Amino acid sequence: MEKYDVIVVGAGASGLLTALTLSKHGKKVLVLEKMHDVGGNCNSYTVDGYQVDTGPHAITHLAEGPLRRLMDNYFDYQPVFENYGHYYVRTEDRFLKVPSTIRDFVTFDVFPRLDRLAITQSITKALTLSSFGFDLSKQSVYESLPANLSKETYEFVDAISYFLSGRSMHETSAQRVLAGSSFVRDSVTQEQFEEFIKEEKVPRPESILQSVLSSNVHTSLYSRINNVSSLGRLAKNKVHLSQGYPRKGLKSLLNAILYSLPSSVEIRTGCKVERILTKDGKAYGVEADTIYESDLVVYTGFASSLPSLMDDLPSSYLELLDGVVHSKSLTVWLGLDRVMDEFNYMGSEIWFKDTPYWAMPISNYDASLAPKDKQLVGFAFFLDENEDVKKGIKNAYETIYSAIPSIQDRVEMNHDQLLVPEKAAVTIDGQFADIRSPVKNLYIAGTDTDRRSMGVTRAAYSVIELLKVLNEDGNLH
């Protein structure tokens, strides 16, 4: 029986980034994926000549964030990112930028002037508390707001909360909104990253990255974090400068990961893991189509599914996993027979009336994603836990056609996607799994192990934390 250094369960973004990083540290890695395609929510495919992503994506923290650290240090090929642009608000008769500075909030006349002033004061207070180290992760957005705001203001804040966490303003933390608006930035400098993974036991004259990965180090290796204070950022916030959309679509990011994998990584698709094998409290492999043994197992599926894969997990851990909250999303992709003036912008828009949506005309970044002279727009909605799916889809189309009546006659392709955008939603009471499991040599990575950011960025955060923990446990080098 062939033995591996690491078995990675799951070939989504978290699993593939795990395989890439650990293989570059000399590990022989086997990746097992139950589906026949890899990438999970980080992928694209073609529908009637239009290339759709698995949900609309904005890749955040590109200047000095976790994905930048992984790309600079482990990728052999790097995707090209187009500047994301701006966030906009669409109303029945208005189309304007989402406010992100004091000036923006004061002049944002979508809701009453007194509401604008009150919200600005609330944001300033929250930023001040955050700057002094107060934990706002358990304080809801609603609790952070002043009382007696207008219905329109509450609807707007609720829509923003849904698209930052998948939950309402009553369940979304104030900290998530601050971070999601880039007023508070969870960056990872190169120095911090090297500190996470340096090898203490064997001192070297150069960093472990320089000695092992020198051929993969990008020219921006020693870029420095922007040290503008949070409060200063409120006055002049450059949110869009660190966000991007990958040219050629989301699959170009997936392909960059796959092309960077060395020959020491083996991927097997259509191979569902039935059991994680343990002995004397220690993981030693998995059972899938056959038995695979390894020194380490990294699980990147839904952490809440772990109890179905193994016995004898502590009751306290089972209780934690039972507290993981999931959200459902619906993405409606519309292929339009021509480029519409209503979508003549770079970025995305929010409709916050009745049924909120987040829309993004991705073919504006790359015209090849749609047939010649046509346009592709994705509309993302969040569904309530018990909402009937057919009813949710019907409401979504009615909302789109109500918000932009002229679009209905332009649609020549429509495609619906039902997704779980994050393996754990960031809520006030929702739980997240730890990188370390209660079982020795079994680790967890993915968007249910880290609360920061969303999507691919959060997956990258989890992989960096995994590298740090493996190093601390003596399992990285």
Side-chain angles (χ1 to χ4, degrees), residues 269-305:
T269 59
C271 191
K272 182 180 179 181
V273 171
E274 303 291 347
R275 301 288 294 172
I276 294 176
L277 304 175
T278 62
K279 184 177 181 180
D280 299 327
K282 180 178 179 180
Y284 68 89
V286 302
E287 178 184 347
D289 56 338
T290 186
I291 301 295
Y292 298 97
E293 293 190 357
S294 63
D295 297 324
L296 303 174
V297 176
V298 180
Y299 180 77
T300 68
F302 284 85
S304 55
S305 299

Side-chain angles (χ1 to χ4, degrees), residues 237-248:
N237 197 7
K238 300 293 186 181
V239 177
H240 65 285
L241 295 181
S242 63
Q243 299 189 14
Y245 178 79
R247 188 185 298 170
K248 298 301 178 184

Side-chain angles (χ1 to χ4, degrees), residues 122 125-126 129 135-147 149 154 157 161 168-175 428-429:
S122 296
K125 178 182 177 182
L129 292 173
D135 183 8
L136 300 179
S137 62
K138 296 299 181 182
Q139 179 176 320
S140 73
V141 173
Y142 180 77
E143 292 169 334
S144 303
L145 294 174
L149 296 175
Y154 281 127
V157 174
S161 298
S168 73
M169 61 183 173
H170 296 277
E171 300 168 276
T172 301
S173 73
Q175 185 67 27
I428 299 298
D429 300 317

Side-chain angles (χ1 to χ4, degrees), residues 80-300:
V80 176
F81 291 93
E82 304 292 348
N83 193 311
Y84 184 76
H86 295 278
Y87 293 92
Y88 297 91
V89 174
R90 186 182 294 277
T91 68
E92 291 87 348
D93 56 359
R94 305 281 300 282
F95 188 76
L96 61 168
K97 290 180 183 178
V98 172
S100 60
T101 69
I102 291 176
R103 181 186 296 275
D104 290 345
F105 276 104
V106 172
T107 59
F108 188 65
D109 59 358
V110 170
F111 38 77
R113 182 174 179 273
L114 289 179
D115 285 11
R116 293 175 248 153
L117 295 174
I119 287 180
T120 300
Q121 292 171 352
S122 296
I123 294 175
T124 303
K125 178 182 177 182
L127 278 170
T128 302
L129 292 173
S130 179
S131 297
F132 281 96
F134 285 85
D135 183 8
L136 300 179
S137 62
K138 296 299 181 182
Q139 179 176 320
S140 73
V141 173
Y142 180 77
E143 292 169 334
S144 303
L145 294 174
N148 302 319
L149 296 175
S150 68
K151 178 177 179 291
E152 290 79 8
T153 302
Y154 281 127
E155 287 177 337
F156 176 78
V157 174
D158 213 31
I160 295 293
S161 298
Y162 267 109
F163 292 109
L164 287 175
S165 73
R167 294 285 164 156
S168 73
M169 61 183 173
H170 296 277
E171 300 168 276
T172 301
S173 73
Q175 185 67 27
R176 178 71 194 100
V177 171
L178 291 178
S181 303
S182 289
F183 291 132
V184 175
R185 296 180 185 172
D186 293 318
S187 298
V188 183
T189 67
Q190 182 64 28
E191 290 81 358
Q192 289 173 322
F193 180 63
E194 292 195 34
E195 186 67 23
F196 290 161
I197 66 170
K198 72 178 183 181
E199 190 174 13
E200 297 285 0
K201 296 179 181 179
V202 184
R204 298 174 182 267
E206 71 275 27
S207 73
I208 187 68
L209 286 172
Q210 289 173 319
S211 61
V212 177
L213 307 170
S214 57
S215 63
N216 302 306
V217 175
H218 191 263
T219 55
S220 64
L221 179 65
Y222 296 107
S223 58
R224 297 292 187 263
I225 186 171
N226 183 347
N227 60 2
V228 179
S229 70
S230 294
L231 292 177
R233 205 169 280 130
L234 179 58
K236 190 177 181 181
N237 197 7
K238 300 293 186 181
V239 177
H240 65 285
L241 295 181
S242 63
Q243 299 189 14
Y245 178 79
R247 188 185 298 170
K248 298 301 178 184
L250 198 59
K251 73 174 183 181
S252 68
L253 175 56
L254 171 63
N255 287 338
I257 300 172
L258 294 174
Y259 294 156
S260 300
L261 292 173
S263 59
S264 56
V265 176
E266 179 183 348
I267 300 176
R268 298 192 181 185
T269 59
C271 191
K272 182 180 179 181
V273 171
E274 303 291 347
R275 301 288 294 172
I276 294 176
L277 304 175
T278 62
K279 184 177 181 180
D280 299 327
K282 180 178 179 180
Y284 68 89
V286 302
E287 178 184 347
D289 56 338
T290 186
I291 301 295
Y292 298 97
E293 293 190 357
S294 63
D295 297 324
L296 303 174
V297 176
V298 180
Y299 180 77
T300 68

Side-chain angles (χ1 to χ4, degrees), residues 24 71-76 78 212-218:
K24 292 293 180 74
M71 289 193 299
D72 282 354
N73 293 297
Y74 297 101
F75 281 37
D76 295 328
Q78 294 211 16
V212 177
L213 307 170
S214 57
S215 63
N216 302 306
V217 175
H218 191 263

Side-chain angles (χ1 to χ4, degrees), residues 8-50:
V8 177
V9 181
S14 304
L16 294 175
L17 287 171
T18 296
L20 173 63
T21 55
L22 294 185
S23 64
K24 292 293 180 74
H25 284 279
K27 306 292 187 184
K28 182 180 180 182
V29 182
L30 172 65
V31 182
L32 300 176
E33 169 57 50
K34 65 181 179 181
M35 307 300 288
H36 290 285
D37 297 307
V38 300
N41 284 352
C42 180
N43 209 341
S44 312
Y45 54 94
T46 301
V47 179
D48 296 337
Y50 293 85

Side-chain angles (χ1 to χ4, degrees), residues 361-422:
I362 65 171
S363 59
N364 288 5
Y365 297 102
D366 187 335
S368 69
L369 302 182
K372 184 175 174 57
D373 298 325
K374 299 183 180 184
Q375 194 168 34
L376 177 62
V377 187
F379 297 82
F381 299 81
F382 278 95
L383 303 178
D384 293 334
E385 279 184 280
N386 301 314
E387 184 175 354
D388 178 75
V389 172
K390 289 185 178 179
K391 182 180 179 181
I393 294 174
K394 180 175 180 290
N395 288 341
Y397 279 92
E398 288 177 351
T399 298
I400 295 168
Y401 297 150
S402 174
I404 314 167
S406 58
I407 196 176
Q408 192 163 2
D409 295 334
R410 305 268 67 91
V411 175
E412 66 173 23
M413 183 280 290
N414 65 285
H415 178 66
D416 306 330
Q417 297 170 334
L418 291 170
L419 303 167
V420 178
E422 310 287 353

